[in-house]
Amino acid sequence: MKARQLLLAGILARAGGAPIEALAENNIMVQQTMSKAAQLPIEGEFPSLGGATGWLNSPPLTPEGLRGKVVLVQVWTYSCINWLRTLPYVRAWAEKYKDQGLVVIGVHSPEFGFEHNIDNVRWAAKDMRVAYPIALDNDYAVWRAFDNHYWPALYFIDAKGHIRHHHFGEGDYEQSERIIQQLLSEAGARDIGPELVSVDGQGAEAAADWGSLKSPENYVGYERSENFESPGGAARDQRHVYGAPAKLKLNHWALSGDWTVGKQATRLNQSNGRIVYRFHARDLHLVMGPAARGTSVRFRVLINGQPPGSAHGIDVDEQGYGAVTEQRLYQLIRQPPPIGDRQFEIEFLDPGVEAFVFTFG
């Protein structure tokens, strides 16, 4: 995504003969962005980080020790697709503004049990190039201190320790960076120009294709799952052999084979178990991992009964083959247009996989 310039002159220079109506619309957009950035009330005080169960990339940080710095706190959990799609921006802001007084802190508040494991978080941070300080929030103490309810969440804190803005979920990247620039300028930073970062998210970090997205996330464990279509329903916390209907409605799914459906995850007990899902989206992801650390589970995916070919995700080859080696989000499908209803199938060639949640983009 190319950076936008704040000044109208920049817009005019790039417009190059655009209709007057378009220029007027751009001018209004710029004025609205400036107005939003200027109106920053005090929303609260920077709460304690003392409840963190550990730190990565930094010694423990405190609100008192950060006084005089502008602080951007992001609450995240490493398998969350919504967080992954914000990461290119947060990573770029941390790098661009670090010498001008910005400190970015990632508060890792885990959603799934495997995300409590510090080795998993350490691996994920290195793999995803998260080099800024990370507060491990396994007890959700920092989550509660911010009265937070979302992944991801951004909190913008000025040099005096006041929370001046927040944002939940994806998007509003231009406004967020303008607010960072404003708070840095208020703190006395010099040479804060109007330019914005330019990012190009790759793989799972790429922005969703919102225009074609008609499938919401859906959990595979029984606690929050919807639209499960295997005959007889789920046998909770019990080993059971399931069958899948030949045809599924949109956003419905089914199991085939010997599975145990648990509260958070569903585990395969014997090889050649399948999950079938009918979806409508450019991307399909599945959060999963081997039940036993250090093992690998081979799989193959099909789309409408065929190998994915050019529709394969980054964790799958053109014939649909891949392997589950870590507990994380796997991108299985990224299909070219046109986007329509598709039937996805993943068959695990080995036992011992745990599947947690489907997400789309």
Side-chain angles (χ1 to χ4, degrees):
M1 181 181 294
K2 292 186 178 179
R4 286 172 164 170
Q5 303 292 330
L6 176 61
L7 299 178
L8 178 59
I11 294 176
L12 292 172
R14 292 193 309 279
I20 292 175
E21 292 84 355
L23 297 179
E25 183 178 346
N26 282 336
N27 192 15
I28 292 171
M29 179 185 67
V30 168
Q31 291 173 350
Q32 289 174 341
T33 300
M34 292 173 65
S35 177
K36 287 179 181 178
Q39 298 171 6
L40 297 178
I42 295 175
E43 298 182 353
E45 300 300 311
F46 191 173
S48 172
L49 302 173
T53 54
W55 287 81
L56 298 177
N57 302 333
S58 171
L61 301 175
T62 66
E64 296 76 19
L66 291 166
R67 196 62 53 88
K69 299 285 188 180
V70 173
V71 182
L72 181 66
V73 172
Q74 185 179 50
V75 182
W76 63 297
T77 188
Y78 81 80
S79 71
C80 174
I81 185 59
N82 307 102
W83 168 74
L84 280 165
R85 292 193 291 240
T86 71
L87 179 57
Y89 291 90
V90 178
R91 198 164 47 210
W93 296 334
E95 179 62 27
K96 179 179 179 180
Y97 298 108
K98 65 182 180 181
D99 294 332
Q100 293 164 301
L102 178 69
V103 176
V104 176
I105 300 174
V107 175
H108 188 268
S109 301
E111 180 176 12
F112 298 115
F114 65 83
E115 291 173 310
H116 286 77
N117 186 304
I118 188 172
D119 291 332
N120 284 349
V121 182
R122 184 181 288 110
W123 166 84
K126 182 178 180 180
D127 185 67
M128 299 170 186
R129 295 180 289 120
V130 182
Y132 47 80
I134 298 170
L136 301 173
D137 190 32
N138 280 2
D139 296 334
Y140 307 99
V142 182
W143 174 287
R144 291 191 299 271
F146 276 91
D147 193 24
N148 185 63
H149 301 278
Y150 304 96
W151 294 283
L154 283 172
Y155 295 93
F156 300 76
I157 301 163
D158 67 20
K160 297 179 180 178
H162 303 309
I163 298 175
R164 300 285 296 281
H165 186 69
H166 66 270
H167 179 75
F168 301 138
E170 303 178 51
D172 280 348
Y173 301 114
E174 179 179 346
Q175 182 188 3
S176 293
E177 189 169 358
R178 295 293 181 210
I179 289 170
I180 292 170
Q181 292 175 345
Q182 177 177 330
L183 295 182
L184 289 171
S185 295
E186 289 179 5
R190 298 289 183 264
D191 301 321
I192 304 292
E195 297 81 10
L196 303 179
V197 298
S198 177
V199 305
D200 181 21
Q202 299 294 312
E205 295 183 1
D209 180 5
W210 298 109
S212 66
L213 181 56
K214 296 182 181 179
S215 290
E217 72 175 8
N218 197 0
Y219 290 80
V220 183
Y222 64 75
E223 183 178 35
R224 287 181 283 178
S225 184
E226 296 181 345
N227 301 330
F228 181 60
E229 288 294 318
S230 285
R236 297 186 173 189
D237 299 314
Q238 299 177 32
R239 187 168 177 169
H240 185 75
V241 177
Y242 292 91
K247 191 172 183 180
L248 293 169
K249 299 177 184 177
L250 180 63
N251 298 325
H252 286 232
W253 67 286
L255 296 171
S256 176
D258 189 338
W259 296 84
T260 299
V261 178
K263 187 176 182 179
Q264 273 201 345
T266 292
R267 178 173 178 171
L268 179 63
N269 300 308
Q270 290 187 351
S271 58
N272 303 117
R274 297 183 298 126
I275 307 177
V276 185
Y277 204 115
R278 191 158 186 84
F279 76 105
H280 188 121
R282 182 194 67 193
D283 302 341
L284 179 147
H285 316 99
L286 180 57
V287 175
M288 56 184 172
R293 289 181 63 84
T295 61
S296 178
V297 178
R298 297 168 299 150
F299 65 81
R300 189 183 191 192
V301 305
L302 302 174
I303 187 165
N304 286 349
Q306 300 296 320
S310 63
H312 71 95
I314 58 173
D315 292 301
V316 176
D317 66 20
E318 291 187 353
Q319 293 302 309
Y321 288 103
V324 180
T325 53
E326 300 94 17
Q327 295 167 311
R328 62 175 175 89
L329 178 142
Y330 290 77
Q331 185 187 85
L332 303 177
I333 297 294
R334 168 158 286 170
Q335 56 180 324
I339 307 302
D341 294 1
R342 303 282 189 265
Q343 186 130 321
F344 166 84
E345 176 181 327
I346 182 168
E347 180 178 9
F348 295 97
L349 309 179
D350 305 301
V353 73
E354 291 182 321
F356 292 82
V357 60
F358 281 94
T359 62
F360 304 91

